[in-house]
Amino acid sequence: MRVDRIRKIGLLLLICLATPAPASADDPDAKFQLLADATTKSPDGQVRVEQYSAVLGDKGFLYQFWTFNSDHQDGTLLSPGEDTDLAGYPAGFRFSPDSRWLVRMQKLGAGYQTLFLYRRDGVRFSSATAKPLGDLAWDYFFSLPASKRLHRNPKDRDSLNHQQAVLLKGLDENYAWLGQHWPDSRYLVISLSFDAQGEEKPLPWIEGWRCLYDMKTGAFSVPPDFADHNAKAFNSPRSGRG
């Protein structure tokens, strides 16, 4: 009996030694492969964003987005729990000039895109909003009287064809090209668009409607300087645009 017990213990030890240790929580799982040409470094050089992908059979690819310090330590997964609906494509990334904020520009499908915002603590980043920043921007748009010009149900966002929330270029220079003199690394300019392709009786749509997001207060606004541009962002079948 004792010999049998020793043999069982030895067998268990061999199994334990032969079983590979799970990947560290601070590193991607071994099935995810690094996209070597998709790394983004922060302006201060202390943080880098790396993208990894894994094949999920007939479900396509799943991507993970990680931040690491300059020594490739202190890894943080930016997309925990996300499936192919939110992380089925590679993303673009932009740091604020002071390296304290990180914007993820996420493709969701052909003609669809949203935004995520992350806040830095040390060399780690965490979500700065309870839901994707792109969703919050649409919430803000549909809270405004101007959205009624579209004659669309704000609760039926899925009906918006080619819905996009895009980060306007210029974050790295605090949007100087817009002629603004805003405080450093405080504001994001977001552009919203969708179209009426495929609609039997097309309703009005918007193309490049802009709003401002304050990363310090978490509030949206539309500066007076955006008024003329936003007025031209509304399109309809009668206008012959789009």
Side-chain angles (χ1 to χ4, degrees):
M1 295 292 293
R2 185 176 180 182
V3 172
D4 289 341
R5 185 178 180 184
I6 293 174
R7 286 176 177 173
K8 289 180 180 179
I9 294 174
L11 180 60
L12 287 173
L13 287 173
L14 287 173
I15 292 174
C16 291
L17 290 173
T19 301
S24 167
D26 292 334
D27 289 293
D29 186 275
K31 68 181 180 181
F32 283 87
Q33 301 298 313
L34 173 67
L35 278 66
D37 59 348
T39 297
T40 305
K41 295 182 180 180
S42 62
D44 66 5
Q46 297 181 8
V47 182
R48 60 192 293 158
V49 182
E50 294 183 350
Q51 303 191 46
Y52 294 78
S53 67
V55 181
L56 298 184
D58 58 359
K59 294 183 179 180
F61 287 87
L62 177 64
Y63 290 82
Q64 287 189 346
F65 313 104
W66 289 77
T67 60
F68 297 95
N69 66 12
S70 56
D71 296 323
H72 210 268
Q73 298 175 341
D74 293 321
T76 301
L77 176 60
L78 298 177
S79 52
E82 292 185 7
D83 57 17
T84 53
D85 288 338
L86 285 180
Y89 294 88
F93 288 90
R94 294 289 184 276
F95 284 92
S96 60
D98 64 359
S99 302
R100 303 301 303 174
W101 302 89
L102 176 64
V103 182
R104 169 179 155 203
M105 301 169 287
Q106 182 65 57
K107 179 180 177 180
L108 301 177
Y112 292 83
Q113 182 172 313
T114 193
L115 298 169
F116 293 82
L117 179 64
Y118 304 95
R119 179 188 295 110
R120 181 174 172 178
D121 181 13
V123 294
R124 292 179 176 267
F125 282 83
S126 60
S127 295
T129 58
K131 57 195 294 190
L133 181 62
D135 289 358
L136 295 178
W138 283 108
D139 289 346
Y140 174 69
F141 172 77
F142 278 107
S143 74
L144 300 177
S147 67
K148 293 180 171 50
R149 294 174 54 184
L150 299 177
H151 306 292
R152 295 175 182 269
N153 182 358
K155 295 182 180 180
D156 188 18
R157 310 285 178 78
D158 291 339
S159 68
L160 303 184
N161 192 46
H162 294 155
Q163 183 179 353
Q164 298 186 45
V166 177
L167 180 68
L168 199 67
K169 67 177 182 179
L171 173 60
D172 54 340
E173 296 179 351
N174 290 304
Y175 301 99
W177 73 274
L178 290 177
Q180 302 296 333
H181 301 282
W182 292 323
D184 180 56
S185 302
R186 177 163 177 173
Y187 295 108
L188 302 175
V189 180
I190 299 173
S191 175
L192 301 179
S193 301
F194 72 94
D195 60 47
Q197 292 183 26
E199 295 181 356
E200 184 176 348
K201 295 182 179 180
L203 293 173
W205 66 94
I206 55 172
E207 182 179 350
W209 185 91
R210 296 174 183 173
C211 62
L212 196 68
Y213 181 74
D214 188 332
M215 291 183 284
K216 182 177 181 180
T217 65
F220 287 89
S221 63
V222 179
D225 290 350
F226 288 6
D228 288 343
H229 175 90
N230 283 352
K232 297 175 183 176
F234 285 81
N235 298 280
S236 68
R238 293 181 182 179
S239 70
R241 298 175 60 191

